[in-house]
Amino acid sequence: MAASATIFHSPSLIPITVQRSLSSPTRIHFSPRILRGFHSLRRREYHRFSQNVTAGRFNSFSCNCLSAVSTTTLDYEFTDGGKEVELRLRLKTGETLSPKDISVDADGTSLAVKEKRNGLLITLLETNQLFDKIMPSETIWYIDEDQLVVNMKKVDGELKWPDVVESWESLTAGMMQLLKGASIYVVGDSTEINQKVSRELAVGLGYSPLDSMELLESFSKQTIDSWILAEGADSVAEAESSVLESLSSHVRTVVSTLGGKHGAAGRADKWRHLYSGFTVWVSQTEATDEESAKEEARRNKQEREIGYSNADVVVKLQGWDPTHAKSVAQASLSALKQLIISDKGLPGKKSLYIRLGCRGDWPNIKPPGWDPSSDTGAHPSFS
């Protein structure tokens, strides 16, 4: 079974986005200045962040839905230099600071920067979700006049960071380099949720929004409900499957699919053309914490008779509020980002699957000429 990613979304978690006062992340070139307190987190004596604060840790396939960011400063600059990223925070003017007044703690995907002021430790920036992983032991920091400079080495030097933190803005900008034009399909039991999340994704990514319900109703000149009453749920599912076939060769689209038993995505035998893009299963849950939601998702993925179990990523919702559609869309992009970073060949593999005709042989793609109707299971496959 192909790798997948799961994210738990609670409506009580509202994203707090760091605002920058600068219009663009411009690197400040060094002039002859005195750099005070050049420190590396490789040296234990400089790792002084308060031990009663625990930085959030996440593996490559889970996160607590949205990045938690807090800050008391709106003035920072960020630069991606390829292998490293640099963060410059403006310190309060009129005060003389020494290295002992600064605390920097970096840990994988988290960063906490604090300044001691009038005997109190003030948070300048704190996030448990950097845009991607860093090497904590390679982090260095120093004071450059009225700026605190934090230099972090990226684990993935090829991934371009739009910003230091994972947010809606950085995800929509950064996912373009990862998706490489691949389309996204939003599936799940609720047509309404699928539609609203899809629209947010399309707007954020600059993709074309497509709605299978609107396409079907426009074609049939009747509502889905009246179609079901007249011809049954199977007829609607067959028709949507045909629509998905016609959309499978499209790129840079976000497709909202039908929910419920009449939707093609809910049927395991209707996924042949859904595999052409990245699929997000938005699933409501009664779980109250991340671990319970992840365990539920693992059980769901093992229930192969459920079509949604074929999805690339799963976003578990604790309740639903239409006003939080953008937050759910952000969680979806976060999950997709983790998935593609774990296997950067996936977008190319999706493209190959389309070029070979969407034959249903995902994820073990067979060589050209393979006929699914006469398959004996003895053919080699592309990795």
Side-chain angles (χ1 to χ4, degrees), residues 20-286:
R20 282 209 297 257
S21 63
L22 300 169
S23 59
S24 60
T26 305
R27 176 177 289 278
I28 295 179
H29 296 283
F30 286 102
S31 56
R33 300 173 177 173
I34 298 176
L35 303 182
R36 308 192 304 277
F38 184 83
H39 298 281
S40 168
L41 297 192
R42 284 173 285 189
R43 300 177 60 185
R44 185 175 297 276
E45 59 266 30
Y46 295 123
H47 199 244
R48 299 191 303 274
F49 187 57
S50 175
Q51 295 302 307
N52 64 350
V53 177
T54 303
R57 297 171 180 265
F58 305 97
N59 61 38
S60 61
F61 288 113
S62 69
C63 75
N64 203 18
C65 163
L66 298 170
S67 58
V69 181
S70 62
T71 180
T72 59
T73 178
L74 299 180
D75 193 357
Y76 78 84
E77 298 175 45
F78 171 77
T79 306
D80 185 319
K83 300 291 185 182
E84 300 176 343
V85 291
E86 181 181 274
L87 175 68
R88 285 177 171 263
L89 290 161
R90 188 79 62 182
L91 299 173
K92 187 175 181 180
T93 58
E95 293 184 0
T96 301
L97 293 175
S98 68
K100 67 179 181 180
D101 296 319
I102 301 296
S103 172
V104 177
D105 186 24
D107 184 12
T109 59
S110 66
L111 176 67
V113 182
K114 298 197 174 187
E115 170 192 356
K116 185 179 291 185
R117 190 184 303 165
N118 299 323
L120 297 175
L121 207 55
I122 307 300
T123 299
L124 299 180
L125 185 144
E126 184 173 10
T127 176
N128 62 9
Q129 195 74 35
L130 294 170
F131 188 76
D132 194 31
K133 293 181 180 180
I134 61 170
M135 301 178 187
S137 63
E138 300 294 322
T139 299
I140 59 175
W141 62 271
Y142 54 89
I143 299 174
D144 181 6
E145 293 192 348
D146 62 346
Q147 291 185 322
L148 173 65
V149 183
V150 183
N151 187 278
M152 297 168 282
K153 190 169 184 178
K154 298 188 289 186
V155 171
D156 184 351
E158 297 180 355
L159 181 66
K160 183 72 173 178
W161 289 29
D163 199 352
V164 67
V165 296
E166 182 183 280
S167 64
W168 174 249
E169 291 76 13
S170 65
L171 281 169
T172 52
M175 282 301 294
M176 303 304 290
Q177 63 184 306
L178 294 172
L179 287 169
K180 300 186 184 302
S183 292
I184 297 173
Y185 295 86
V186 181
V187 305
D189 275 327
S190 171
T191 301
E192 178 200 356
I193 293 176
N194 297 346
Q195 290 174 325
K196 292 188 180 298
V197 174
S198 293
R199 288 167 188 161
E200 293 291 348
L201 287 171
V203 170
L205 294 171
Y207 273 27
S208 299
L210 295 171
D211 187 328
S212 65
M213 186 180 83
E214 292 181 358
L215 292 172
L216 287 167
E217 291 185 342
S218 176
F219 170 76
S220 65
K221 309 299 182 185
Q222 61 181 327
T223 65
I224 296 298
D225 289 340
S226 61
W227 191 339
I228 293 173
L229 289 174
E231 302 182 39
D234 290 348
S235 174
V236 175
E238 285 293 338
E240 187 184 24
S241 184
S242 297
V243 168
L244 295 174
E245 179 179 0
S246 67
L247 299 179
S248 61
S249 60
H250 290 214
V251 296
R252 296 181 180 85
T253 62
V254 181
V255 181
S256 169
T257 64
L258 288 175
K261 295 180 180 180
H262 52 278
R267 305 184 178 210
D269 61 343
K270 301 295 183 186
W271 270 70
R272 176 176 168 182
H273 297 97
L274 285 167
Y275 290 132
S276 63
F278 286 99
T279 47
V280 179
W281 176 13
V282 182
S283 171
Q284 292 182 281
T285 179
E286 295 183 359

